Amino acid sequence: MSDGRDGTDAEAADEERFTAVVQTAIAVAETNDGMDPTIIEDATRYAREERDTGRARYRSLLVDVAGIDPAVRSSGSITDDRPTDHSTTTPTERQRVAYARLRDHVDRRRGREADVDGLFE
C-alpha cells in the first residue's frame, strides 16, 4: 500500500478521473451523428502517450468533448462530480468545436503514423 509520498495515489486518482472523462466523451460521440467514437479512442491513446511530455493537447480536448464545465475544470479538478446523462443530450457548440479540433489532431497523427509505417515495409 502506498503512503502517498511517491505520488502513486495521486496518479491513480488522476487516471480514474481521466477514465471517467474518456467514458463520457465516448458516450457523447456514440450518441451524436457526426461524431466517431474511434476518434475518442485514438485520442485517448495519444493523451496517455503525451502524459510524460508535459503537454496535454489531447487530454484537454477530451475534457471539452466530454462537456466538463470550464469553471469546475479551472478549479483544479478534471471532472465535474455532478452526474450527467449524455445519452439524451445534444452536444453544446463548445463540445462540437472541441470534437472537430480533436478529430483534426487525430487525423494528422494517424497520417504521420501511416507515413512512418510505410517507410519500413
Side-chain angles (χ1 to χ4, degrees):
M1 181 164 185
S2 172
D3 62 7
R5 284 185 266 169
D6 60 3
T8 56
D9 288 342
E11 289 171 12
D14 185 59
E15 181 60 28
E16 191 174 306
R17 289 189 300 269
F18 181 63
T19 298
V21 166
V22 168
Q23 290 170 343
T24 302
I26 288 173
V28 169
E30 286 176 340
T31 58
N32 290 283
D33 289 335
M35 292 187 174
D36 180 359
T38 64
I39 295 291
I40 305 301
E41 293 164 5
D42 283 352
T44 300
R45 182 167 47 95
Y46 302 148
R48 287 191 169 113
E49 289 173 4
E50 77 178 0
R51 181 180 297 152
D52 294 332
T53 68
R55 295 184 355 212
R57 170 188 306 146
Y58 293 98
R59 184 180 186 113
S60 178
L61 288 169
L62 285 166
V63 169
D64 288 342
V65 171
I68 305 303
D69 181 349
V72 172
R73 185 172 161 188
S74 67
S75 71
S77 174
I78 194 170
T79 61
D80 183 345
D81 293 332
R82 297 172 290 173
T84 304
D85 177 9
H86 289 284
S87 63
T88 58
T89 60
T90 303
T92 64
E93 184 61 24
R94 179 182 182 87
Q95 285 172 288
R96 288 195 179 284
V97 168
Y99 175 80
R101 289 184 61 214
L102 183 66
R103 183 190 60 226
D104 291 346
H105 286 295
V106 168
D107 285 346
R108 282 193 299 272
R109 178 81 178 258
R110 285 173 173 172
R112 286 192 306 268
E113 288 175 343
D115 289 347
V116 170
D117 287 344
L119 289 175
F120 301 103
E121 293 179 356

